[in-house]
């Protein structure tokens, strides 16, 4: 579909009306920062009624950056574009509001490095793909590793296809409860180790019942980092020195120094600052229950 629509990056996301946020089902060509912006910030700011009012036209609605009429918040001037998509060099974008009959169920985002790439014929192609994309969203929900809700008392309510193994992970539950009880952040995204595999965990605060929705999706770990290196990388975001990391983790300074040297090499970073910035931007963080509190105000949202 990306080739058909001449896109350099593509993302399909399912809309969850319960938390007012999208869950990424598939993304190619976008950084984690762009995925987070398109899944969280975009639908919160550019709501369906707002965009329908701005663009009007056919349903399902397809709209592009190049064809945007005058609006209260031009997309090219938004933080979403400036801090995420613009940094990737994208100059045009097209979004399809995916619908199943009369229900809005998600978005398909397409971005191009070329200005004004998406014209009328490509918009027509995107609109014609609505039914296929609707089916893909349904398949993506089935393939997701599952979700569950956790309330302040630690009561777990599983969702459809929620993994029993995930609900039984006591360490993850401790992280979720710490996020719920000791932070005010609306959301968080981080990595979690499942044996030798990794998943990206997303937390969404649900004010309606004061709970957190926990989602997990399998990911390929960037830079071939190990779980130990991810923990040290997370410590680098929080603590000022190898000595402080070693003290917090109960490890030797020599062990921490070795992990730091290895992760800098794998991430192709010349110093700690570069690694920390990259870890924050791409959410390459593996927190425990204490770290999630320290990070949630600025490095996980």
């Amino acid at each position: 579909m990306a080739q058909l629509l001449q896109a350099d990056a593509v993302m399909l996301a399912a809309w969850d009306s319960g938390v007012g946020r999208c869950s990424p089902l598939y993304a190619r060509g976008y950084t984690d920062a762009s995925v987070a912006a398109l899944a969280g910030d975009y639908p919160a700011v550019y709501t369906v009624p707002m965009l329908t009012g701005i663009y009007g036209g056919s349903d399902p609605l397809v709209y592009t950056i190049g064809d945007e009429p005058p609006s209260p918040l031009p997309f090219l001037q938004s933080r979403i574009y400036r801090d995420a998509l613009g940094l990737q060099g994208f100059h045009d974008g097209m979004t399809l509001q995916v619908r199943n009959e009369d229900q809005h169920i998600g978005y398909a985002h397409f971005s191009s490095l070329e200005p004004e790439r998406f014209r009328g014929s490509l918009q027509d192609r995107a609109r014609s793909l609505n039914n296929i994309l609707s089916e893909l969203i349904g398949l993506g929900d089935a393939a997701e590793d599952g979700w569950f809700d956790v309330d302040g008392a630690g009561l777990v309510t599983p969702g459809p296809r929620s993994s029993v193994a995930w609900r039984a992970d006591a360490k993850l539950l401790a992280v979720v409860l710490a996020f719920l009880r000791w932070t005010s952040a609306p959301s968080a995204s981080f990595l979690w180790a499942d044996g030798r595999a990794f998943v990206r965990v997303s937390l969404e605060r649900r004010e309606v019942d004061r709970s957190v929705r926990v989602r997990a999706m399998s990911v390929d770990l960037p830079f071939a980092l190990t779980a130990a290196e991810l923990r040290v990388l997370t410590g680098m975001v929080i603590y000022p020195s190898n000595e402080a990391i070693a003290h917090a983790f109960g490890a030797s300074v020599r062990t921490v120094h070795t992990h730091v040297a290895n992760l800098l090499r794998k991430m192709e970073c010349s110093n700690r600052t570069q690694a920390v910035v990259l870890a924050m931007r791409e959410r390459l963080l593996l927190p425990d229950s204490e770290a999630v509190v320290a990070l949630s105000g600025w490095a996980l949202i």
Side-chain angles (χ1 to χ4, degrees), residues 44 57 67 91 93 134 151 173 181 183 206 228 274:
D67 293 332
H91 293 289
S134 175
D151 67 14
L173 181 59
R181 294 171 178 172
T183 79
R206 297 165 58 85
Q274 289 182 358

Side-chain angles (χ1 to χ4, degrees), residues 13-232:
W15 171 249
D16 187 337
S17 59
V19 297
R21 185 180 172 92
C22 281
S23 298
L25 300 179
Y26 176 81
R28 192 194 74 186
Y30 290 119
T31 64
D32 274 2
S34 292
V35 170
L38 290 173
D41 300 333
Y42 182 87
V45 176
Y46 295 95
T47 64
V48 170
M50 174 185 176
L51 288 168
T52 302
I54 292 174
Y55 286 91
S58 303
D59 189 12
L61 184 63
V62 179
Y63 41 89
T64 73
I65 291 176
D67 293 332
E68 181 181 24
S71 67
L73 182 59
F75 185 73
L76 290 176
Q77 298 178 22
S78 69
R79 181 173 60 85
I80 301 167
Y81 178 80
R82 184 185 68 245
D83 295 348
L85 301 173
L87 291 179
Q88 284 199 250
F90 295 129
H91 293 289
D92 198 9
M94 176 169 63
T95 295
L96 166 68
Q97 293 177 1
V98 183
R99 301 184 71 85
N100 184 357
E101 297 180 349
D102 61 346
Q103 182 180 8
H104 169 66
I105 62 170
Y107 294 91
H109 295 285
F110 306 90
S111 293
S112 172
L113 298 172
E114 294 185 17
E116 301 183 359
R117 166 69 69 83
F118 303 113
R119 286 302 185 181
S121 61
L122 293 180
Q123 293 178 43
D124 291 339
R125 289 185 191 178
R127 187 174 292 110
S128 69
L129 297 173
N130 177 79
N131 290 341
I132 298 175
L133 291 169
S134 175
E135 292 295 326
L136 288 176
I137 287 178
L139 290 173
D141 285 341
E144 188 182 54
D145 290 348
W147 60 263
F148 56 89
D149 294 334
V150 180
D151 67 14
L155 180 65
V156 175
T157 303
R161 298 174 294 275
S162 180
S163 167
V164 174
W166 277 103
R167 298 204 306 270
D169 191 326
K171 291 184 178 180
L172 177 60
L173 181 59
V175 171
V176 174
L177 285 174
F179 172 84
L180 178 60
R181 294 171 178 172
W182 305 113
T183 79
S184 59
S187 61
S189 175
F190 53 86
L191 296 170
W192 197 258
D194 182 17
R196 294 186 178 181
F198 289 88
V199 297
R200 178 159 296 283
V201 175
S202 298
L203 306 182
E204 301 291 342
R205 191 179 298 274
R206 297 165 58 85
E207 295 296 344
V208 63
D209 55 3
R210 299 194 177 184
S211 66
V212 171
R213 176 152 294 179
V214 185
R215 296 183 182 274
M217 185 172 294
S218 300
V219 294
D220 294 326
L221 191 63
F223 310 113
L225 296 172
T226 66
E229 290 164 352
L230 280 173
R231 290 190 193 86
V232 170

